[in-house]
Amino acid sequence: MLKKIIHQTWIVISLTLCLVGIFSLPVIAAPAISTNPEVVNIDLGNAANELKFFPNELKLVAGKRYKLVLNNPSPQKHYFTAKDFADNSWTQKVEAGKVEIKGAIHELELKPGATAEWVLIPEKPGTYSLRCPIPGHTEAGMTGKIIISAE
Ligand SMILES: [Cu+2]
């Protein structure tokens, strides 16, 4: 009786180990593919000083890692303000110049000629607004939409 139980237990353990082995294989292989985030380029204004985001609509997928490359090619400073989007995303880091910032980010200010990289994973599907809150800019059309779709 005891021998039978031991034997059955051994089978269950072997099967479990076997299954763990099978399922852990793709997990081990995956990081090599998913390490690099998808790059999304966004310009805040342009050289002609138009008050717009280029593009002004971003489509992202929840759970996927992105690197938003924000660039200000215009002659004046702008903000990338998307508080609800930021609240519903997990920010890994923001890199600007030689500085790397970790933790929650709500808004980025970019001076003329500046570039910043924001690495994040959108978490909650929805449509979020983006704007530049410098007086007159939102009113002039410096707004956008960030759409996070489900995985
Ligand atoms: Cu602006």
Side-chain angles (χ1 to χ4, degrees), residues 44-45 51 53 76-79 131-134 137-138 142:
L44 286 70
L51 298 175
F53 289 100
Q76 62 173 317
K77 76 171 180 184
H78 292 293
Y79 283 84
R131 67 190 197 100
C132 173
I134 289 175
H137 291 203
T138 299
M142 198 157 185

Side-chain angles (χ1 to χ4, degrees), residues 91-123:
T91 294
Q92 185 185 355
K93 62 177 178 177
V94 172
E95 266 189 84
K98 286 181 179 171
V99 180
E100 196 173 295
I101 302 135
K102 294 194 166 80
I105 297 284
H106 288 137
E107 186 174 68
L108 293 165
E109 179 190 311
L110 277 88
K111 297 200 164 59
T115 296
E117 295 181 349
W118 185 358
V119 181
L120 56 83
I121 298 175
E123 290 178 317

